[in-house]
Amino acid sequence: MNFEESLKELQKIIQKLEDKTTPLDDGIKEFEKGVLITRDCLETVNKASGKVALLQKDLDKLIETPFAESEE
Amino acid sequence: MKTYTIEQLNSYIERLLSEEEIIHNISVEGEVSGLSFSGKTAFFVLKDSAAQLSCMFYDFRGSEYLPRDGEKVAVTGTPQYSKKYGSLKFSVMSVRPVGRGELYERFLKLKAALSSEGLFDAARKKAIPSSARRFAVVTSPEGAVIHDIITTARRRDPLCDILIYPVRVQGAGADQEIAAAVTALNKYGTGAELIIVARGGGATEDLENFNSETVVRAVAASVLPVVSAVGHETDTTLCDLAADVRAATPTAAAAMVTADIYGAVAAVKAAAERMSRTFRLFISQKHSALYMSAEIMNRLFKNIFTEKRNMVITRAARLKLLSEAFLTDRLNRLSQHKIRLEKSNPLSLLESGYAKLFAKVPIYSAGQLGPGDDLDVYLKDGIAYTKVKEVKRV
């Protein structure tokens, strides 16, 4: 789930929690779901990291090699 | 020898210069350096291999062309001497580039030709992904440009992949490299969602490769959206025109195509906080609903209890009343019986002068008696002991 989807999902949960007719059990389940979504979302940012690669033309393809930025 | 004041000398030099009309309104050629601005005035030094000349260009904003450091220009104007400061400055009226006239003509011609082919049409422009997961950069792998792009992209979205297609961005043949890179990125699947073609600012000649027809055609033919971030905002290259969008700087290009993840993270955190608050409210509402139900139940129970209790009390009171009435009734009846009983007491007859006879047993009949029998006569106030003389039956 990406950030926009997570945000939308959290929004839905908030709406359900704002609805007085939502049964207690459902409300608790929704809240737990929301906590998990938030945790997943924040973990993705903390853990993952995109790569920077240098492309090199081979015969019929482009090869990725790690890119180390030169110190300036 | 005569000694002059500075003012006298400077005034003399000033007069000499202003009278020397041969150097008024002349054109001087040289290379620009030390360009700076102060308000409406541009200051620079014009140099050639042998000498230099300080220039001031008043109200430069009206000029169609503005020189940059390192450029060769011809300025038209008049040297002016300031007697106050004892300095000479060339007052520039107009400035034009030198040595690229022919180049510029070629640029305009190519621009018109490509434009008539529709390569710069707005209708051709593709939408640029604003949160690319992976994008390619065609630029030099060294220097500030790639550094700015990586830094900016990383600061906004640490998750996106950046693929650098290293090319030369200046010098002969660089245009072929740039065009080949754009073509290769389209031809071979790299997963890149778009291409940024970037180069830092530089002299106009340095940007020539981005005015090349080869580059324009490769960029225009690109299926992947292309962001052009070439040179300064003031120079528009043909590559900029052919690209789907032009970014003012490489930094701006990187910001344009990456999502602001940290902004999104903040938004998610804010939403999560709001959710927690809402949840607390939700729970407390449920709690008060429960409490209220309990309260209602309690009250109902109390009401029922009170009602039953009152019923019992009422009935007990009625029972008490009834039993009292019953008792009174019985007592009354008893006392009536007593009265009647008393009335029928034989002793009470004695009161009214009657006497009761006993001869060992109560006597009711003359047949019970014979002459000589002892007979006790009970009167109201005493007993007479007598003897029967004679019995006569009637």
Side-chain angles (χ1 to χ4, degrees):
Chain A
M1 200 185 289
N2 67 28
F3 284 88
E4 278 144 42
E5 285 164 355
S6 300
L7 266 180
K8 271 189 201 152
E9 206 53 41
L10 287 177
Q11 208 58 46
K12 272 193 214 156
I13 292 171
I14 290 171
Q15 268 169 17
K16 277 185 194 154
L17 291 177
E18 277 169 347
D19 183 354
K20 289 191 177 108
T21 62
T22 303
L24 179 63
D25 281 356
D26 290 2
I28 291 173
K29 270 181 207 144
E30 289 293 327
F31 178 69
E32 283 170 351
K33 202 165 90 187
V35 171
L36 288 180
I37 289 171
T38 312
R39 210 185 53 197
D40 285 355
C41 220
L42 300 183
E43 267 181 10
T44 346
V45 183
N46 293 338
K47 277 186 190 165
S49 169
K51 63 177 170 186
V52 181
L54 210 56
L55 292 174
Q56 277 178 343
K57 178 102 161 50
D58 201 16
L59 282 177
D60 58 347
K61 60 182 172 193
L62 295 174
I63 301 170
E64 288 177 26
T65 54
F67 173 75
E69 212 178 328
S70 53
E71 297 292 321
E72 285 172 56
Chain B
M1 188 191 290
K2 188 180 175 186
T3 304
Y4 297 93
T5 64
I6 301 168
E7 195 198 356
Q8 283 169 333
L9 174 64
N10 285 7
S11 294
Y12 179 71
I13 299 174
E14 187 190 24
R15 198 167 58 245
L16 278 182
L17 272 175
S18 67
E19 283 168 1
E20 206 60 53
E21 291 190 356
I22 196 167
I23 54 165
H24 291 183
N25 247 330
I26 52 164
S27 183
V28 185
E29 196 178 303
E31 198 181 290
V32 175
S33 76
L35 183 67
S36 69
F37 302 95
S38 169
K40 287 179 175 177
T41 312
F43 297 93
F44 54 90
V45 175
L46 213 54
K47 283 180 179 172
D48 60 22
S49 54
Q52 62 181 49
L53 175 69
S54 284
C55 297
M56 57 181 275
F57 188 6
Y58 183 69
D59 215 3
F60 63 88
R61 279 173 217 174
S63 173
E64 269 179 27
Y65 164 78
L66 250 189
R68 275 198 296 269
D69 283 345
E71 282 186 344
K72 263 187 121 176
V73 298
V75 295
T76 308
T78 305
Q80 275 179 353
Y81 186 77
S82 160
K83 64 178 179 187
K84 188 174 177 188
Y85 298 107
S87 68
L88 187 131
K89 275 205 163 53
F90 191 82
S91 174
V92 178
M93 298 309 292
S94 69
V95 57
R96 65 184 167 82
V98 168
R100 70 157 202 177
E102 197 190 332
L103 210 63
Y104 191 61
E105 282 303 310
R106 255 204 343 254
F107 168 81
L108 291 179
K109 229 168 125 184
L110 182 61
K111 182 179 170 184
L114 296 173
S115 182
S116 68
E117 272 186 52
L119 295 186
F120 306 145
D121 284 2
R124 291 177 53 99
K125 307 293 184 200
K126 295 177 280 294
I128 303 291
S130 59
S131 52
R133 310 290 350 115
R134 196 167 159 91
F135 65 89
V137 187
V138 174
T139 194
S140 161
E142 280 150 21
V145 170
I146 192 60
H147 174 81
D148 287 353
I149 289 176
I150 293 173
T151 311
T152 306
R154 277 280 162 278
R155 198 175 54 232
R156 289 171 59 82
D157 182 356
L159 310 179
C160 72
D161 291 338
I162 305 168
L163 304 176
I164 303 161
Y165 202 117
V167 290
R168 285 185 302 130
V169 289
Q170 64 188 73
D175 58 339
Q176 299 298 329
E177 285 186 26
I178 295 160
V182 171
T183 307
L185 284 167
N186 275 283
K187 188 173 171 190
Y188 305 111
T190 58
E193 292 161 47
L194 64 107
I195 303 169
I196 295 177
V197 177
R199 190 206 191 283
T204 314
E205 290 84 355
D206 292 342
L207 299 178
E208 271 320 299
N209 283 300
F210 294 89
N211 286 324
S212 131
E213 184 175 347
T214 326
V215 169
V216 170
R217 290 201 183 279
V219 168
S222 176
V223 174
L224 294 171
V226 177
V227 178
S228 176
V230 178
H232 295 295
E233 204 162 5
T234 45
D235 351 87
T236 304
T237 64
L238 297 183
C239 175
D240 290 331
L241 296 176
D244 296 297
V245 73
R246 180 188 183 197
T249 58
T251 302
M256 196 181 282
V257 304
T258 48
D260 182 7
I261 290 285
Y262 289 109
V265 166
V268 167
K269 277 184 182 165
E273 248 165 55
R274 203 172 138 225
M275 183 187 66
S276 293
R277 277 201 304 277
T278 315
F279 181 65
R280 279 201 294 277
L281 204 65
F282 174 79
I283 290 293
S284 82
Q285 270 166 358
K286 294 288 171 200
H287 180 257
S288 37
L290 194 68
Y291 182 76
M292 258 165 67
S293 309
E295 190 72 353
I296 288 168
M297 214 168 67
N298 196 14
R299 213 174 307 143
L300 281 175
F301 179 73
K302 262 190 193 162
N303 286 351
I304 291 169
F305 178 76
T306 313
E307 199 180 304
K308 297 284 171 198
R309 184 168 158 266
N310 288 345
M311 257 166 75
V312 169
I313 290 174
T314 316
R315 283 184 187 184
R318 238 177 98 208
L319 193 65
K320 194 181 165 211
L321 275 177
L322 283 174
S323 59
E324 272 172 5
F326 178 79
L327 200 62
T328 313
D329 180 50
R330 289 301 140 111
L331 283 173
N332 285 345
R333 279 164 72 180
L334 196 63
S335 68
Q336 273 165 18
H337 281 302
K338 194 180 158 199
I339 290 165
R340 267 163 60 194
L341 201 63
E342 267 172 12
K343 273 189 187 156
S344 58
N345 184 350
L347 291 177
S348 66
L349 286 172
L350 299 185
E351 294 283 338
S352 46
Y354 293 95
K356 181 72 186 169
L357 302 181
F358 286 93
K360 294 188 180 135
V361 294
I363 301 298
Y364 301 106
S365 159
Q368 286 177 271
L369 290 171
D373 284 352
D374 288 328
L375 187 67
D376 302 340
V377 181
Y378 282 76
L379 293 159
K380 181 181 87 178
D381 49 359
I383 304 161
Y385 301 104
T386 60
K387 265 191 196 307
V388 177
K389 279 194 235 171
E390 191 187 342
V391 177
K392 209 186 218 168
R393 316 260 308 230
V394 284

